[in-house]
Amino acid sequence: MHLVHPGLSQKVCVVSTSGWERSQHWSHFFQCPLNPPEPSIFPFQFHSDPEATYLLDSQGRRLEIDFDKNHLDYARKGHRGKSELIAKALGASKGYKKILDLSVGMAVDSVFLCQLGFEVIGVERSPILYALLSEAFQKTQNPLLKNYQLHFDDSLNFLKTQKGKVEIDAIYFDPMYPHKKKSALPKQEMVVFRELVGDDLDSTEVFQEALSWPVHRVVVKRPLHAEVLGERCTHSYTGKVVRYDTYVVG
């Protein structure tokens, strides 16, 4: 299945000085040029080298995913294990282990869930983010992340086509909203990130489809004072900035 938008070939190019096999792979995946004569004319430049994989936008802003460099606190030292709000929301104390993350993004929450002992399957619909994530998971030296299962798909399509085919205990959903301004990302990286992912305008439909899955619970991450996404919220685990709305469905 190839979900890459047909217009992406005019928006991105692949730039590489080595690592030709991977570079050619992503050039084919994006259906875009590899090392064009004038890469600066493209809104995004996907740099693919063995040493680093990152994205530059037309303003020179850089977006990189590297779990080992840890610039987004991927290591998350000093966490409280099953006492973390996200662990409570997902049912760690009940033995729920297998989680489906419908909106991986920069994988900050996905990586944290792995550190907390969860087994995570992630879905990312942005082709460029998917490529950055794929490289990061391949290159990481963190053994907790080696079994992470990353899928390139629209979350709504994944839910509709994979129901009953994937064994999980709970679904985690962190939709992007226009009013969601706080982020772990530095300001410049957040600008690039928003250019890539936009807003989740189908979040309600995704949420309703998630509720139809044969799982124990669906957890939605929300800004602290935002409205609930559904009417059947069983419990909210509230922190200083965000909360985790839990819907017990099975």
Side-chain angles (χ1 to χ4, degrees):
M1 177 170 52
H2 205 277
L3 301 176
V4 178
H5 192 278
L8 191 64
S9 60
Q10 282 77 50
K11 295 180 180 180
V12 65
C13 67
V14 175
V15 178
S16 179
T17 56
S18 58
W20 290 106
E21 185 175 347
R22 296 299 293 169
S23 303
Q24 290 173 338
H25 168 78
W26 293 123
S27 175
H28 176 73
F29 178 74
F30 297 140
Q31 300 177 1
C32 77
L34 171 59
N35 286 339
E38 297 183 53
S40 60
I41 68 174
F42 291 84
F44 296 107
Q45 300 172 30
F46 185 88
H47 288 254
S48 174
D49 291 304
E51 298 78 20
T53 302
Y54 58 93
L55 186 74
L56 291 181
D57 73 356
S58 57
Q59 303 300 312
R61 290 176 291 235
R62 176 170 172 150
L63 184 67
E64 181 179 5
I65 302 177
D66 190 312
F67 304 132
D68 300 338
K69 287 182 179 178
N70 196 37
H71 77 296
L72 293 180
D73 194 24
Y74 286 111
R76 200 83 68 97
K77 296 180 180 179
H79 65 73
R80 298 175 296 154
K82 291 183 179 181
S83 296
E84 291 286 342
L85 292 181
I86 192 172
K88 290 181 177 180
L90 288 167
S93 63
K94 296 184 180 294
Y96 303 155
K97 300 276 291 183
K98 299 179 180 179
I99 308 300
L100 173 62
D101 184 350
L102 291 176
S103 45
V104 178
M106 297 290 288
V108 175
D109 286 342
S110 262
V111 169
F112 188 42
L113 290 176
C114 291
Q115 292 172 343
L116 293 175
F118 291 100
E119 300 170 20
V120 187
I121 297 173
V123 180
E124 178 53 53
R125 68 181 179 183
S126 163
I128 295 177
L129 267 182
Y130 169 79
L132 291 172
L133 288 164
S134 296
E135 292 293 323
F137 278 114
Q138 183 181 46
K139 293 176 180 178
T140 183
Q141 299 301 306
N142 187 342
L144 295 175
L145 304 181
K146 288 301 185 181
N147 294 323
Y148 189 98
Q149 297 181 46
L150 179 66
H151 294 264
F152 173 55
D153 203 348
D154 178 90
S155 55
L156 184 58
N157 183 71
F158 186 91
L159 288 171
K160 289 182 175 180
T161 59
Q162 300 302 312
K163 185 187 298 183
K165 301 178 183 179
V166 182
E167 183 182 348
I168 58 169
D169 297 316
I171 293 176
Y172 179 72
F173 185 33
D174 178 16
M176 179 69 77
Y177 286 89
H179 60 264
K180 183 178 177 182
K181 298 178 181 179
K182 289 188 178 295
S183 170
L185 286 173
K187 184 177 180 180
Q188 288 198 353
E189 291 189 22
M190 188 60 185
V191 172
V192 183
F193 180 76
R194 276 199 169 275
E195 288 178 326
L196 293 177
V197 303
D199 297 316
D200 288 327
L201 301 179
D202 59 350
S203 58
T204 300
E205 191 176 358
V206 170
F207 169 69
Q208 292 297 332
E209 188 67 30
L211 289 178
S212 73
W213 265 49
V215 296
H216 295 290
R217 56 183 62 185
V218 174
V219 175
V220 182
K221 183 179 181 180
R222 301 289 283 148
L224 189 59
H225 300 295
E227 71 282 359
V228 295
L229 198 57
E231 298 178 354
R232 296 187 294 156
C233 181
T234 307
H235 186 76
S236 291
Y237 296 84
T238 304
K240 295 180 179 180
V241 178
V242 301
R243 70 174 195 268
Y244 302 96
D245 293 339
T246 299
Y247 301 80
V248 175
V249 294

